[in-house]
Amino acid sequence: MASKAAATLIRRGGKHFFTRYWAAKTKSSSAASFAPSLSSFVPNPAGTGAKSYLGSSRLMSSDVTNGRFMEYSMLYHDSVAFLVSNQLGIPVFMASEPKTPADVAKEFNLSVRAASALLVTLCRMDVVQVVKDSDDSVDAIVYGLTPSAKTFLSDRNDLACVSPFVDTFTTNFVTPEALLECSLPADEKKDIMSEHLEQDDETVANNARHFMAHMNAQSYCCAKALPKALGLDSVNEPKTLLDVGGGSAIYSIEAIQSNSNMNGIVFELPAIKPITEEYIEKAGLSDRVSVSPGDFFNDPLPAADYVLFSNIFHDWPDSINANLIQKAFDCLNPGGKIVISEILLADDVKSSTPAATSMNVIMLPYTKGRQYRPKELFRRLQKVGFTKPQVINLVDDYDLVVGTKA
């Protein structure tokens, strides 16, 4: 089975090109790290007549190289290595005890050289760590999973496992050709999200189960952090959280479990309502979390004290999001809050994290939307009457944009 999976991935591999989404918090290596290998391409500052390969009189100072641009060209291989390792099941295989490249090679029918290259990359990513080094060869190093990888990558049956999210990008890999195709004007293409919503109810429900697994993996840490970040764990009177397009109700479940004063409503499509109710029932919260069926494009939202839009705004064009903001304002009780959870671009753009810029590109084939900057959302909230807009960090690169209905 493992060798078949490896062969399938190898056949696909020639066309793969992937933005470095997984590395949201990883700092880029310094351009200077490439300097030694480029020394022969940099003019001799002492003027000794050493040959320049720059091709013209256009000169570089000795402390400037093309390293960072080379790095940007090569970094997608790291993402491919991570995706392949996850798809093969290398973290699952290594969960029980440390392994060598030879062990991994044997299990998945890889060459030792390939297994070693994958493990070196995974080590830099903090997926694995060196248990026993070897002075003789990198191929002889013994590796074990890091604590974080044991939590988030080693057990696909665990709600915390991020693998269903990773799987989505392995299955729907964006090649350069696909990126160009989906970059056509909006009226000349149809995004994946819109296509799914136009399917019949049975197909929508079937696809929803896969999509909920993807979103649970993406949202697990965010949902855990939400009650404290938003202060839901300390409200001292009954309050209702409305989660618009809440799918598996993961945010509502965490919020309600944090405080007996909290109750929840998940606003979902009628075809998805039974699936959402399965998750709520499994959490034992059917008496405190309800599912309100509806279409947020066309239907009004139920009354609430908090209205949460998590990973919703980046799916849709600005006109739809403006309508959602208005609907949130209309349904909120006085003093209620709109809560928009997204990976935000920086106000100055330049300071945006890799996660934000990558997610912004990822939206091209999947949706009609994009990532926002805080100041853009502030303006849109204030336009309909929300006051005191603020940004609250949720977890990692996720933030909450919050506005209050006076």
Side-chain angles (χ1 to χ4, degrees):
M1 182 65 70
S3 61
K4 182 178 180 181
T8 301
L9 287 166
I10 289 168
R11 286 197 298 272
R12 294 176 181 170
K15 297 192 294 182
H16 280 184
F17 184 93
F18 184 67
T19 53
R20 196 188 183 198
Y21 176 75
W22 63 266
K25 302 299 286 185
T26 303
K27 293 182 179 179
S28 296
S29 300
S30 168
S33 65
F34 286 85
S37 62
L38 297 173
S39 58
S40 62
F41 292 84
V42 179
N44 189 323
T48 58
K51 185 175 180 179
S52 169
Y53 291 89
L54 295 174
S56 70
S57 58
R58 185 179 177 189
L59 301 180
M60 296 167 54
S61 64
S62 60
D63 61 345
V64 176
T65 75
N66 61 2
R68 63 191 173 105
F69 303 115
M70 292 173 62
E71 183 181 37
Y72 298 153
S73 302
M74 296 185 291
L75 279 175
Y76 82 95
H77 291 91
D78 276 9
S79 291
V80 172
F82 178 73
L83 293 178
V84 168
S85 298
N86 179 76
Q87 189 73 7
L88 287 174
I90 290 176
V92 177
F93 173 63
M94 297 184 66
S96 59
E97 59 183 1
K99 307 289 184 184
T100 64
D103 296 328
V104 172
K106 181 178 180 182
E107 176 69 16
F108 298 104
N109 194 29
L110 305 173
S111 68
V112 172
R113 183 170 72 105
S116 180
L118 290 175
L119 290 169
V120 166
T121 304
L122 294 178
C123 187
R124 191 191 64 74
M125 295 175 180
D126 201 36
V127 175
V128 301
Q129 58 191 349
V130 174
V131 174
K132 183 178 181 181
D133 200 358
S134 169
D135 293 336
D136 182 59
S137 172
V138 70
D139 296 345
I141 295 174
V142 180
Y143 297 93
L145 287 188
T146 61
S148 59
K150 287 182 179 179
T151 300
F152 297 112
L153 290 169
S154 67
D155 184 358
R156 282 181 168 268
N157 295 317
D158 193 312
L159 185 61
C161 186
V162 76
S163 293
F165 178 81
V166 181
D167 292 343
T168 300
F169 294 103
T170 306
T171 305
N172 301 290
F173 209 96
V174 179
T175 65
E177 294 81 7
L179 182 59
L180 287 173
E181 182 179 351
C182 71
S183 298
L184 294 171
D187 58 351
E188 297 182 29
K189 69 179 183 69
K190 182 166 289 187
D191 59 281
I192 294 173
M193 184 71 70
S194 296
E195 287 180 345
H196 282 181
L197 289 177
E198 291 175 2
Q199 295 168 334
D200 61 82
D201 286 351
E202 183 178 356
T203 304
V204 168
N206 288 335
N207 288 336
R209 291 189 181 276
H210 170 77
F211 187 66
M212 284 184 188
H214 163 97
M215 291 307 301
N216 270 356
Q218 182 179 358
S219 303
Y220 178 82
C221 290
C222 293
K224 290 285 186 184
L226 181 71
K228 183 175 182 179
L230 199 56
L232 303 180
D233 59 349
S234 58
V235 297
N236 54 16
E237 58 182 336
K239 296 290 183 181
T240 299
L241 171 70
L242 172 64
D243 187 359
V244 181
S248 68
I250 188 171
Y251 286 95
S252 298
I253 290 170
E254 291 295 333
I256 274 57
Q257 287 178 335
S258 74
N259 190 333
S260 60
N261 285 314
M262 292 298 305
N263 290 287
I265 303 172
V266 179
F267 191 80
E268 259 300 354
L269 292 169
I272 298 176
K273 180 177 182 285
I275 304 174
T276 303
E277 289 174 333
E278 289 177 16
Y279 282 92
I280 296 170
E281 184 178 354
K282 185 176 180 180
L285 292 172
S286 298
D287 59 331
R288 296 176 59 199
V289 183
S290 62
V291 183
S292 177
D295 177 351
F296 62 59
F297 294 122
N298 302 306
D299 300 326
L301 300 176
D305 300 292
Y306 299 87
V307 177
L308 172 66
F309 297 97
S310 176
N311 293 304
I312 297 292
F313 277 39
H314 69 197
D315 288 341
W316 306 108
D318 205 46
S319 58
I320 289 178
N321 291 331
N323 188 39
L324 292 177
I325 292 173
Q326 183 64 61
K327 288 187 176 188
F329 188 85
D330 293 341
C331 82
L332 277 167
N333 297 321
K337 298 180 186 296
I338 184 174
V339 183
I340 302 168
S341 176
E342 292 281 356
I343 297 177
L344 299 172
L345 295 169
D347 276 339
D348 67 355
V349 178
K350 170 68 175 176
S351 304
S352 300
T353 65
T357 55
S358 292
M359 185 65 86
N360 201 38
V361 173
I362 288 169
M363 290 301 101
L364 290 172
Y366 289 101
T367 76
K368 291 185 180 298
R370 62 176 177 84
Q371 304 309 120
Y372 284 88
R373 297 176 296 167
K375 63 182 179 182
E376 296 173 0
L377 290 174
F378 285 5
R379 287 173 61 89
R380 286 152 178 78
L381 295 183
Q382 291 169 329
K383 186 176 181 180
V384 303
F386 283 106
T387 62
K388 303 176 183 177
Q390 62 177 314
V391 175
I392 301 172
N393 182 248
L394 182 57
V395 64
D396 296 330
D397 293 287
Y398 270 96
D399 291 304
L400 305 175
V401 174
V402 181
T404 303
K405 180 177 179 178

